[in-house]
Amino acid sequence: MAGSQIQRTELPSPRYEYGGDDHIFVELDQEMSFDANFKAMAITQQIREMDLSGLIEVCPANASYLLHFDPDLIEPDTLIEKLRVLDREIHLSEYEWETRIIDFPVLYDDPWTHETLMRFRDNHQDPNVTDLEYSARINGFETPEAFIDAHAGAPHMVTMIGFVPGLPWTFQMVPRDEQIEVPKYVQPRTDTPSRAIGYGGAFTAIYPVQGAGGYQLFGRTPVEVLDVEQKLPDFTESMVFPQPGDIMKFREIDRDEYDRIRTKIGDGTFEYRYESVRFSPEEFFEDPETYNEELVEVL
């Protein structure tokens, strides 16, 4: 028997805005939904494939996208008209894209983020418990372990990269009533370890570098998501890994595996484990639980 379907969202007409002389911002909706994000993915993928003269960069986001262009080579209104045509022509019931299912190891409740979150308890909603304990409680889980199982139990899609360079935002691919939701800290921290797994709202964010932050801290990954010098094999084409549209399968690991991966990172031999698949929004909308199982089986 099929599981719960994803509730579809009827999108309003897109809002097109000029950003100075060389940017166009397009808002598809005022809040994140799978429909808004998948539509942003589809339009930005298609506009890239058109290989337009003057188009410099294309950045999909949670419910919007941004284009950077050279106004000497393409008129902004010409570009907007092409975007309007794509918006009318692309139907998610018919659209698919090539993506990757990525094995993403996480050391949950690790010593580094634990030390950090304990240092900033006065900034938190509940100073008497850890971030995992707090997040488990407000989401109705009896233990942090059960909460971790839920976080790692269904894949997450990378919906955008940004806020700081190389930071992936991921959204768990489950119906809305199954989404984990947590607030940000009351006051942000002035410190967060690099590669920390943070959670705010309904998004997992992976901090690429050490810095300030306000998301609840669940763990730390041994792998890099940003390699500015592009020394690791997976970063030869881009200093950022993963990319929007990729699908992450978070996998709980122990300290020994964490250390083994860090050793491979250090000597430059680590490579992500992933498989290429074709993603169908329509199949996902119809039966996300079954479709997710089929997606992660390739790993």
Side-chain angles (χ1 to χ4, degrees):
M1 180 182 295
S4 301
Q5 294 183 341
I6 297 290
Q7 183 176 354
R8 301 297 301 274
T9 301
E10 185 175 350
L11 300 177
S13 297
R15 179 170 64 87
Y16 300 89
E17 298 283 350
Y18 303 107
D21 295 329
D22 56 359
H23 286 81
I24 292 172
F25 172 73
V26 184
E27 181 183 79
L28 298 176
D29 204 351
Q30 292 187 349
E31 65 177 25
M32 164 72 185
S33 67
F34 286 113
D35 282 274
N37 185 249
F38 292 170
K39 194 70 176 283
M41 296 280 187
I43 292 173
T44 53
Q45 288 165 10
Q46 289 302 299
I47 201 73
R48 284 194 194 99
E49 291 187 8
M50 296 171 85
D51 197 24
L52 299 173
S53 176
L55 187 60
I56 299 170
E57 190 172 10
V58 181
C59 301
N62 292 326
S64 60
Y65 58 93
L66 181 73
L67 304 184
H68 181 201
F69 63 94
D70 184 342
D72 291 330
L73 298 178
I74 186 169
E75 291 286 337
D77 289 342
T78 299
L79 188 52
I80 288 176
E81 182 54 35
K82 293 182 183 298
L83 297 174
R84 291 186 190 276
V85 171
L86 286 174
D87 186 79
R88 291 192 297 267
E89 291 182 346
I90 291 175
H91 302 283
L92 294 179
S93 60
E94 304 167 356
Y95 193 82
E96 296 182 351
W97 70 76
E98 292 291 334
T99 189
R100 299 174 294 189
I101 309 295
I102 302 169
D103 175 71
F104 202 83
V106 178
L107 180 59
Y108 288 93
D109 197 18
D110 67 282
W112 304 281
T113 59
H114 181 82
E115 185 278 330
T116 300
L117 65 88
M118 295 307 293
R119 188 156 33 100
F120 288 95
R121 287 334 283 164
D122 289 344
N123 297 43
H124 195 271
Q125 289 85 352
D126 188 345
N128 298 313
V129 296
T130 67
D131 292 7
L132 275 170
E133 290 170 332
Y134 170 76
S135 299
R137 187 185 74 225
I138 66 172
N139 281 278
F141 293 92
E142 292 187 1
T143 64
E145 290 74 20
F147 179 80
I148 290 169
D149 289 343
H151 183 260
H156 299 236
M157 179 167 284
V158 180
T159 58
M160 62 173 281
I161 303 291
F163 187 70
V164 297
L167 190 154
W169 299 74
T170 77
F171 194 75
Q172 194 169 36
M173 298 166 61
V174 295
R176 187 164 190 147
D177 61 357
E178 298 176 25
Q179 286 283 350
I180 295 167
E181 292 190 16
V182 299
K184 297 189 291 186
Y185 276 37
V186 176
Q187 295 290 332
R189 301 176 303 274
T190 55
D191 185 34
T192 305
S194 63
R195 307 187 312 280
I197 305 298
Y199 206 100
F203 290 93
T204 300
I206 302 149
Y207 290 78
V209 295
Q210 184 177 10
Y215 276 18
Q216 309 286 335
L217 296 177
F218 294 170
R220 195 182 196 192
T221 179
V223 303
E224 301 292 344
V225 294
L226 177 69
D227 180 7
V228 176
E229 297 180 354
Q230 296 180 266
K231 292 182 177 180
L232 293 167
D234 292 306
F235 294 82
T236 54
E237 294 184 6
S238 171
M239 67 177 64
V240 177
F241 190 103
Q243 293 289 324
D246 282 341
I247 297 170
M248 315 270 272
K249 179 63 180 78
F250 292 115
R251 178 171 59 87
E252 185 175 10
I253 61 172
D254 59 21
R255 179 62 185 272
D256 287 343
E257 183 171 357
Y258 179 97
D259 291 340
R260 286 195 298 271
I261 293 173
R262 289 308 298 168
T263 298
K264 290 183 178 180
I265 295 283
D267 61 27
T269 61
F270 174 79
E271 294 185 58
Y272 274 95
R273 185 163 65 92
Y274 63 87
E275 295 290 341
S276 297
V277 297
R278 193 158 186 84
F279 179 73
S280 166
E282 183 67 12
E283 291 185 54
F284 169 70
F285 285 133
E286 282 296 314
D287 186 358
E289 183 177 353
T290 300
Y291 192 58
N292 286 343
E293 291 175 357
E294 294 172 353
L295 286 173
V296 300
E297 278 179 357
V298 302
L299 286 176

PDB file of all heavy atoms in Angstrom, residues 243-264:
ATOM      1  N   GLN A 243      25.751  19.923  -4.633  1.00  0.00           N
ATOM      2  CA  GLN A 243      25.146  20.993  -5.405  1.00  0.00           C
ATOM      3  C   GLN A 243      23.620  20.968  -5.248  1.00  0.00           C
ATOM      4  O   GLN A 243      23.046  19.936  -4.871  1.00  0.00           O
ATOM      5  CB  GLN A 243      25.497  20.837  -6.888  1.00  0.00           C
ATOM      6  CG  GLN A 243      26.969  21.049  -7.206  1.00  0.00           C
ATOM      7  CD  GLN A 243      27.392  22.496  -7.068  1.00  0.00           C
ATOM      8  OE1 GLN A 243      26.628  23.406  -7.373  1.00  0.00           O
ATOM      9  NE2 GLN A 243      28.615  22.730  -6.614  1.00  0.00           N
ATOM     10  N   PRO A 244      22.926  22.081  -5.527  1.00  0.00           N
ATOM     11  CA  PRO A 244      21.464  22.077  -5.472  1.00  0.00           C
ATOM     12  C   PRO A 244      20.874  20.972  -6.340  1.00  0.00           C
ATOM     13  O   PRO A 244      21.322  20.747  -7.469  1.00  0.00           O
ATOM     14  CB  PRO A 244      21.088  23.460  -6.006  1.00  0.00           C
ATOM     15  CG  PRO A 244      22.262  24.320  -5.668  1.00  0.00           C
ATOM     16  CD  PRO A 244      23.463  23.436  -5.848  1.00  0.00           C
ATOM     17  N   GLY A 245      19.876  20.288  -5.802  1.00  0.00           N
ATOM     18  CA  GLY A 245      19.255  19.177  -6.508  1.00  0.00           C
ATOM     19  C   GLY A 245      19.812  17.832  -6.122  1.00  0.00           C
ATOM     20  O   GLY A 245      19.193  16.794  -6.388  1.00  0.00           O
ATOM     21  N   ASP A 246      21.013  17.803  -5.509  1.00  0.00           N
ATOM     22  CA  ASP A 246      21.561  16.547  -5.002  1.00  0.00           C
ATOM     23  C   ASP A 246      20.729  16.061  -3.819  1.00  0.00           C
ATOM     24  O   ASP A 246      20.067  16.848  -3.129  1.00  0.00           O
ATOM     25  CB  ASP A 246      23.007  16.733  -4.552  1.00  0.00           C
ATOM     26  CG  ASP A 246      23.989  16.756  -5.716  1.00  0.00           C
ATOM     27  OD1 ASP A 246      23.639  16.285  -6.803  1.00  0.00           O
ATOM     28  OD2 ASP A 246      25.116  17.254  -5.517  1.00  0.00           O
ATOM     29  N   ILE A 247      20.784  14.759  -3.573  1.00  0.00           N
ATOM     30  CA  ILE A 247      20.017  14.154  -2.485  1.00  0.00           C
ATOM     31  C   ILE A 247      20.989  13.516  -1.501  1.00  0.00           C
ATOM     32  O   ILE A 247      21.829  12.695  -1.884  1.00  0.00           O
ATOM     33  CB  ILE A 247      19.025  13.113  -3.033  1.00  0.00           C
ATOM     34  CG1 ILE A 247      18.005  13.803  -3.941  1.00  0.00           C
ATOM     35  CG2 ILE A 247      18.325  12.379  -1.888  1.00  0.00           C
ATOM     36  CD1 ILE A 247      17.126  12.856  -4.710  1.00  0.00           C
ATOM     37  N   MET A 248      20.895  13.907  -0.236  1.00  0.00           N
ATOM     38  CA  MET A 248      21.808  13.455   0.810  1.00  0.00           C
ATOM     39  C   MET A 248      21.164  12.353   1.638  1.00  0.00           C
ATOM     40  O   MET A 248      20.027  12.501   2.106  1.00  0.00           O
ATOM     41  CB  MET A 248      22.167  14.610   1.738  1.00  0.00           C
ATOM     42  CG  MET A 248      22.517  15.894   1.034  1.00  0.00           C
ATOM     43  SD  MET A 248      24.249  16.016   0.681  1.00  0.00           S
ATOM     44  CE  MET A 248      24.802  16.756   2.213  1.00  0.00           C
ATOM     45  N   LYS A 249      21.897  11.267   1.833  1.00  0.00           N
ATOM     46  CA  LYS A 249      21.473  10.224   2.766  1.00  0.00           C
ATOM     47  C   LYS A 249      22.391  10.308   3.977  1.00  0.00           C
ATOM     48  O   LYS A 249      23.520   9.842   3.967  1.00  0.00           O
ATOM     49  CB  LYS A 249      21.582   8.836   2.121  1.00  0.00           C
ATOM     50  CG  LYS A 249      21.174   7.694   3.072  1.00  0.00           C
ATOM     51  CD  LYS A 249      19.717   7.811   3.461  1.00  0.00           C
ATOM     52  CE  LYS A 249      19.288   6.682   4.398  1.00  0.00           C
ATOM     53  NZ  LYS A 249      19.724   6.891   5.786  1.00  0.00           N
ATOM     54  N   PHE A 250      21.907  10.981   5.033  1.00  0.00           N
ATOM     55  CA  PHE A 250      22.698  11.094   6.250  1.00  0.00           C
ATOM     56  C   PHE A 250      22.834   9.710   6.881  1.00  0.00           C
ATOM     57  O   PHE A 250      21.858   8.966   7.009  1.00  0.00           O
ATOM     58  CB  PHE A 250      22.050  12.059   7.239  1.00  0.00           C
ATOM     59  CG  PHE A 250      22.069  13.489   6.783  1.00  0.00           C
ATOM     60  CD1 PHE A 250      20.895  14.172   6.511  1.00  0.00           C
ATOM     61  CD2 PHE A 250      23.271  14.159   6.617  1.00  0.00           C
ATOM     62  CE1 PHE A 250      20.909  15.495   6.094  1.00  0.00           C
ATOM     63  CE2 PHE A 250      23.301  15.480   6.191  1.00  0.00           C
ATOM     64  CZ  PHE A 250      22.116  16.150   5.930  1.00  0.00           C
ATOM     65  N   ARG A 251      24.049   9.379   7.277  1.00  0.00           N
ATOM     66  CA  ARG A 251      24.335   8.060   7.853  1.00  0.00           C
ATOM     67  C   ARG A 251      25.101   8.242   9.159  1.00  0.00           C
ATOM     68  O   ARG A 251      26.163   8.864   9.187  1.00  0.00           O
ATOM     69  CB  ARG A 251      25.163   7.222   6.870  1.00  0.00           C
ATOM     70  CG  ARG A 251      25.564   5.847   7.399  1.00  0.00           C
ATOM     71  CD  ARG A 251      26.184   5.010   6.292  1.00  0.00           C
ATOM     72  NE  ARG A 251      27.363   5.643   5.708  1.00  0.00           N
ATOM     73  CZ  ARG A 251      28.610   5.513   6.172  1.00  0.00           C
ATOM     74  NH1 ARG A 251      28.841   4.778   7.246  1.00  0.00           N
ATOM     75  NH2 ARG A 251      29.623   6.123   5.575  1.00  0.00           N
ATOM     76  N   GLU A 252      24.549   7.696  10.240  1.00  0.00           N
ATOM     77  CA  GLU A 252      25.201   7.809  11.542  1.00  0.00           C
ATOM     78  C   GLU A 252      26.456   6.945  11.576  1.00  0.00           C
ATOM     79  O   GLU A 252      26.438   5.782  11.185  1.00  0.00           O
ATOM     80  CB  GLU A 252      24.255   7.382  12.657  1.00  0.00           C
ATOM     81  CG  GLU A 252      24.829   7.599  14.052  1.00  0.00           C
ATOM     82  CD  GLU A 252      23.851   7.296  15.162  1.00  0.00           C
ATOM     83  OE1 GLU A 252      22.771   6.738  14.883  1.00  0.00           O
ATOM     84  OE2 GLU A 252      24.170   7.644  16.330  1.00  0.00           O
ATOM     85  N   ILE A 253      27.567   7.538  12.041  1.00  0.00           N
ATOM     86  CA  ILE A 253      28.837   6.810  12.144  1.00  0.00           C
ATOM     87  C   ILE A 253      29.367   6.935  13.569  1.00  0.00           C
ATOM     88  O   ILE A 253      28.877   7.727  14.374  1.00  0.00           O
ATOM     89  CB  ILE A 253      29.891   7.349  11.146  1.00  0.00           C
ATOM     90  CG1 ILE A 253      30.205   8.829  11.436  1.00  0.00           C
ATOM     91  CG2 ILE A 253      29.415   7.156   9.709  1.00  0.00           C
ATOM     92  CD1 ILE A 253      31.365   9.385  10.622  1.00  0.00           C
ATOM     93  N   ASP A 254      30.401   6.130  13.873  1.00  0.00           N
ATOM     94  CA  ASP A 254      31.039   6.216  15.181  1.00  0.00           C
ATOM     95  C   ASP A 254      32.348   6.990  15.065  1.00  0.00           C
ATOM     96  O   ASP A 254      32.764   7.407  13.967  1.00  0.00           O
ATOM     97  CB  ASP A 254      31.274   4.828  15.788  1.00  0.00           C
ATOM     98  CG  ASP A 254      32.154   3.927  14.917  1.00  0.00           C
ATOM     99  OD1 ASP A 254      32.909   4.445  14.054  1.00  0.00           O
ATOM    100  OD2 ASP A 254      32.096   2.692  15.099  1.00  0.00           O
ATOM    101  N   ARG A 255      33.015   7.180  16.199  1.00  0.00           N
ATOM    102  CA  ARG A 255      34.235   7.996  16.222  1.00  0.00           C
ATOM    103  C   ARG A 255      35.351   7.368  15.398  1.00  0.00           C
ATOM    104  O   ARG A 255      36.132   8.075  14.744  1.00  0.00           O
ATOM    105  CB  ARG A 255      34.683   8.205  17.674  1.00  0.00           C
ATOM    106  CG  ARG A 255      35.968   9.022  17.815  1.00  0.00           C
ATOM    107  CD  ARG A 255      35.817  10.434  17.277  1.00  0.00           C
ATOM    108  NE  ARG A 255      37.062  11.164  17.293  1.00  0.00           N
ATOM    109  CZ  ARG A 255      37.513  11.880  18.331  1.00  0.00           C
ATOM    110  NH1 ARG A 255      36.782  11.963  19.436  1.00  0.00           N
ATOM    111  NH2 ARG A 255      38.658  12.529  18.254  1.00  0.00           N
ATOM    112  N   ASP A 256      35.440   6.042  15.389  1.00  0.00           N
ATOM    113  CA  ASP A 256      36.498   5.386  14.610  1.00  0.00           C
ATOM    114  C   ASP A 256      36.362   5.697  13.125  1.00  0.00           C
ATOM    115  O   ASP A 256      37.350   6.007  12.452  1.00  0.00           O
ATOM    116  CB  ASP A 256      36.476   3.872  14.837  1.00  0.00           C
ATOM    117  CG  ASP A 256      36.998   3.472  16.210  1.00  0.00           C
ATOM    118  OD1 ASP A 256      37.661   4.313  16.853  1.00  0.00           O
ATOM    119  OD2 ASP A 256      36.738   2.328  16.636  1.00  0.00           O
ATOM    120  N   GLU A 257      35.141   5.603  12.598  1.00  0.00           N
ATOM    121  CA  GLU A 257      34.958   5.906  11.178  1.00  0.00           C
ATOM    122  C   GLU A 257      35.195   7.386  10.912  1.00  0.00           C
ATOM    123  O   GLU A 257      35.770   7.752   9.870  1.00  0.00           O
ATOM    124  CB  GLU A 257      33.566   5.499  10.704  1.00  0.00           C
ATOM    125  CG  GLU A 257      33.378   5.730   9.217  1.00  0.00           C
ATOM    126  CD  GLU A 257      32.101   5.140   8.648  1.00  0.00           C
ATOM    127  OE1 GLU A 257      31.351   4.484   9.407  1.00  0.00           O
ATOM    128  OE2 GLU A 257      31.852   5.341   7.440  1.00  0.00           O
ATOM    129  N   TYR A 258      34.768   8.222  11.823  1.00  0.00           N
ATOM    130  CA  TYR A 258      35.030   9.656  11.682  1.00  0.00           C
ATOM    131  C   TYR A 258      36.537   9.907  11.524  1.00  0.00           C
ATOM    132  O   TYR A 258      36.977  10.628  10.615  1.00  0.00           O
ATOM    133  CB  TYR A 258      34.489  10.397  12.901  1.00  0.00           C
ATOM    134  CG  TYR A 258      34.725  11.893  12.891  1.00  0.00           C
ATOM    135  CD1 TYR A 258      33.733  12.764  12.458  1.00  0.00           C
ATOM    136  CD2 TYR A 258      35.939  12.443  13.312  1.00  0.00           C
ATOM    137  CE1 TYR A 258      33.941  14.137  12.442  1.00  0.00           C
ATOM    138  CE2 TYR A 258      36.154  13.801  13.297  1.00  0.00           C
ATOM    139  CZ  TYR A 258      35.155  14.649  12.862  1.00  0.00           C
ATOM    140  OH  TYR A 258      35.384  16.010  12.839  1.00  0.00           O
ATOM    141  N   ASP A 259      37.325   9.309  12.400  1.00  0.00           N
ATOM    142  CA  ASP A 259      38.774   9.523  12.368  1.00  0.00           C
ATOM    143  C   ASP A 259      39.401   8.954  11.101  1.00  0.00           C
ATOM    144  O   ASP A 259      40.336   9.545  10.537  1.00  0.00           O
ATOM    145  CB  ASP A 259      39.425   8.901  13.609  1.00  0.00           C
ATOM    146  CG  ASP A 259      39.079   9.647  14.887  1.00  0.00           C
ATOM    147  OD1 ASP A 259      38.670  10.817  14.802  1.00  0.00           O
ATOM    148  OD2 ASP A 259      39.218   9.047  15.976  1.00  0.00           O
ATOM    149  N   ARG A 260      38.903   7.804  10.629  1.00  0.00           N
ATOM    150  CA  ARG A 260      39.446   7.219   9.398  1.00  0.00           C
ATOM    151  C   ARG A 260      39.194   8.149   8.207  1.00  0.00           C
ATOM    152  O   ARG A 260      40.080   8.342   7.363  1.00  0.00           O
ATOM    153  CB  ARG A 260      38.807   5.848   9.133  1.00  0.00           C
ATOM    154  CG  ARG A 260      39.291   4.742  10.047  1.00  0.00           C
ATOM    155  CD  ARG A 260      38.925   3.372   9.515  1.00  0.00           C
ATOM    156  NE  ARG A 260      37.480   3.171   9.404  1.00  0.00           N
ATOM    157  CZ  ARG A 260      36.728   2.697  10.380  1.00  0.00           C
ATOM    158  NH1 ARG A 260      37.271   2.374  11.564  1.00  0.00           N
ATOM    159  NH2 ARG A 260      35.431   2.519  10.213  1.00  0.00           N
ATOM    160  N   ILE A 261      37.997   8.726   8.157  1.00  0.00           N
ATOM    161  CA  ILE A 261      37.691   9.640   7.052  1.00  0.00           C
ATOM    162  C   ILE A 261      38.537  10.901   7.135  1.00  0.00           C
ATOM    163  O   ILE A 261      39.053  11.393   6.119  1.00  0.00           O
ATOM    164  CB  ILE A 261      36.192   9.985   7.039  1.00  0.00           C
ATOM    165  CG1 ILE A 261      35.372   8.736   6.705  1.00  0.00           C
ATOM    166  CG2 ILE A 261      35.890  11.107   6.035  1.00  0.00           C
ATOM    167  CD1 ILE A 261      33.878   8.926   6.826  1.00  0.00           C
ATOM    168  N   ARG A 262      38.740  11.417   8.351  1.00  0.00           N
ATOM    169  CA  ARG A 262      39.575  12.609   8.495  1.00  0.00           C
ATOM    170  C   ARG A 262      41.011  12.340   8.056  1.00  0.00           C
ATOM    171  O   ARG A 262      41.673  13.222   7.491  1.00  0.00           O
ATOM    172  CB  ARG A 262      39.552  13.120   9.943  1.00  0.00           C
ATOM    173  CG  ARG A 262      38.252  13.748  10.384  1.00  0.00           C
ATOM    174  CD  ARG A 262      37.769  14.837   9.450  1.00  0.00           C
ATOM    175  NE  ARG A 262      38.702  15.956   9.358  1.00  0.00           N
ATOM    176  CZ  ARG A 262      38.631  16.912   8.440  1.00  0.00           C
ATOM    177  NH1 ARG A 262      37.682  16.878   7.512  1.00  0.00           N
ATOM    178  NH2 ARG A 262      39.488  17.909   8.421  1.00  0.00           N
ATOM    179  N   THR A 263      41.490  11.135   8.290  1.00  0.00           N
ATOM    180  CA  THR A 263      42.838  10.777   7.824  1.00  0.00           C
ATOM    181  C   THR A 263      42.892  10.819   6.300  1.00  0.00           C
ATOM    182  O   THR A 263      43.856  11.342   5.710  1.00  0.00           O
ATOM    183  CB  THR A 263      43.233   9.382   8.332  1.00  0.00           C
ATOM    184  OG1 THR A 263      43.267   9.394   9.756  1.00  0.00           O
ATOM    185  CG2 THR A 263      44.595   8.970   7.794  1.00  0.00           C
ATOM    186  N   LYS A 264      41.866  10.294   5.642  1.00  0.00           N
ATOM    187  CA  LYS A 264      41.834  10.329   4.180  1.00  0.00           C
ATOM    188  C   LYS A 264      41.699  11.758   3.658  1.00  0.00           C
ATOM    189  O   LYS A 264      42.282  12.102   2.621  1.00  0.00           O
ATOM    190  CB  LYS A 264      40.674   9.476   3.666  1.00  0.00           C
ATOM    191  CG  LYS A 264      40.874   7.975   3.862  1.00  0.00           C
ATOM    192  CD  LYS A 264      39.715   7.196   3.252  1.00  0.00           C
ATOM    193  CE  LYS A 264      39.931   5.706   3.401  1.00  0.00           C
ATOM    194  NZ  LYS A 264      38.820   4.922   2.806  1.00  0.00           N
TER     195      LYS A 264
END
